[in-house]
Amino acid sequence: MKEKTVGIVLAAGRGSRMKSDTNKPYLLLRDRPVLFYALKAFEDSFVDEIILVAGETEIGYCRREVVEKFGFQKVTHIVTGGAERYHSVFHGLQAVEQCDYVFIHDGARPFVTGDILKRAYEAVQRDKACVVGMPVKDTVKLADEQGFAVSTPRRDLVWAIQTPQVFSFPLVKKAYTAFLEQEQVLSAEGVHITDDAMVVERFSDTRVRLVEGSCENIKITTPEDLIVAEGFLAAGLSCPCLS
């Protein structure tokens, strides 16, 4: 029996660093929303179903101007996001009726590819949890609260993490449920959850495998990122949907 895979694509966050009133996934990149490219990669892949998480006021826009306009057949639900990224992820998880593996991806990462999805799928089948990323090229310093360097980790052991982050569905659903039950306590203790792997690491005994993504799998966060993304498209990189 074929294992079912679901992609949760997050398009609810509004980043202050972009200096724009437009939510990052809806900024135009070669006359199409950034979100289009992420959805197209999932639409053209082996992933069976897509759940799109959008801001409350953007549900209608997503349906009309993205899903229907570009004919995305795999998008089965568009659900409302939450106050924080992890709330949006949990809303997406709650919309999953049944699946074996879930791919959690930022809609502001337009250059995810079918090859990246395949590598992640192979890893999650073996290890139950994996995240896409790349080994860093630069030396990394850890700093104290005063801004002084305190240590230098081995560069060959440091990765910059991307998405998708992929998990056994029962594993990640259970971990997120446990996390949200303790959310207020953890917040009071100064614990900040910044990605899905942190939830699984903290609330399960499952180790998270690192899987190679690509240097082009950037997140559109600042105005400069749009310039870089335009350069990737001009060079014909990473976007088979435009070839």
Side-chain angles (χ1 to χ4, degrees):
M1 183 175 177
K2 181 182 181 295
E3 294 173 314
K4 184 177 179 181
T5 55
V6 173
I8 296 176
V9 179
L10 305 173
R14 189 177 299 277
S16 59
R17 287 176 289 179
M18 184 53 73
K19 300 178 182 177
S20 171
D21 293 332
T22 303
N23 191 351
K24 294 177 295 185
Y26 310 119
L27 293 168
L28 293 183
L29 183 58
R30 196 176 283 187
D31 299 324
R32 296 177 180 180
V34 168
L35 176 62
F36 161 83
Y37 301 94
L39 289 176
K40 189 70 165 63
F42 278 84
E43 180 82 12
D44 292 345
S45 77
F46 57 84
V47 172
D48 298 298
E49 179 182 338
I50 303 168
I51 293 171
L52 181 56
V53 185
E56 184 175 4
T57 62
E58 294 158 343
I59 296 288
Y61 174 88
C62 275
R63 181 174 292 109
R64 294 188 310 272
E65 298 301 320
V66 181
V67 176
E68 294 177 358
K69 181 177 181 179
F70 296 108
F72 290 119
Q73 299 297 311
K74 291 184 179 180
V75 177
T76 58
H77 298 77
I78 305 176
V79 301
T80 304
E84 301 291 342
R85 181 187 185 279
Y86 51 79
H87 294 132
S88 294
V89 172
F90 190 62
H91 290 180
L93 291 171
Q94 288 180 306
V96 177
E97 295 177 2
Q98 181 277 327
C99 80
D100 297 287
Y101 301 106
V102 61
F103 291 66
I104 303 169
H105 185 65
D106 293 326
R109 287 189 188 270
F111 297 115
V112 62
T113 65
D115 285 342
I116 291 174
L117 295 177
K118 288 177 184 176
R119 288 197 293 271
Y121 187 37
E122 290 170 358
V124 77
Q125 287 177 303
R126 293 192 307 266
D127 300 311
K128 296 187 178 180
C130 72
V131 298
V132 168
M134 289 295 290
V136 300
K137 298 177 180 179
D138 301 317
T139 296
V140 174
K141 297 284 185 181
L142 300 183
D144 62 18
E145 294 179 353
Q146 289 73 45
F148 290 95
V150 294
S151 66
T152 306
R154 283 174 47 186
R155 187 170 59 185
D156 60 319
L157 299 180
V158 179
W159 285 54
I161 298 306
Q162 304 171 352
T163 67
Q165 304 198 0
V166 191
F167 308 94
S168 156
F169 175 65
L171 170 70
V172 72
K173 181 72 177 292
K174 182 178 180 180
Y176 256 97
T177 300
F179 163 53
L180 289 173
E181 288 174 352
Q182 301 182 37
E183 177 187 2
Q184 292 183 345
V185 173
L186 293 171
S187 179
E189 294 175 351
V191 176
H192 301 289
I193 299 294
T194 57
D195 78 343
D196 312 299
M198 292 180 67
V199 178
V200 170
E201 289 161 359
R202 189 176 185 97
F203 292 96
S204 81
D205 57 2
T206 301
R207 301 175 72 192
V208 178
R209 172 73 65 183
L210 299 176
V211 177
E212 183 176 324
S214 76
C215 293
E216 292 85 39
N217 188 26
I218 63 171
K219 186 176 182 180
I220 306 300
T221 302
T222 66
E224 293 78 14
D225 295 328
L226 274 177
I227 297 172
V228 173
E230 289 284 0
F232 287 159
L233 290 180
L237 296 176
S238 293
C239 264
C241 57
L242 292 183
S243 59

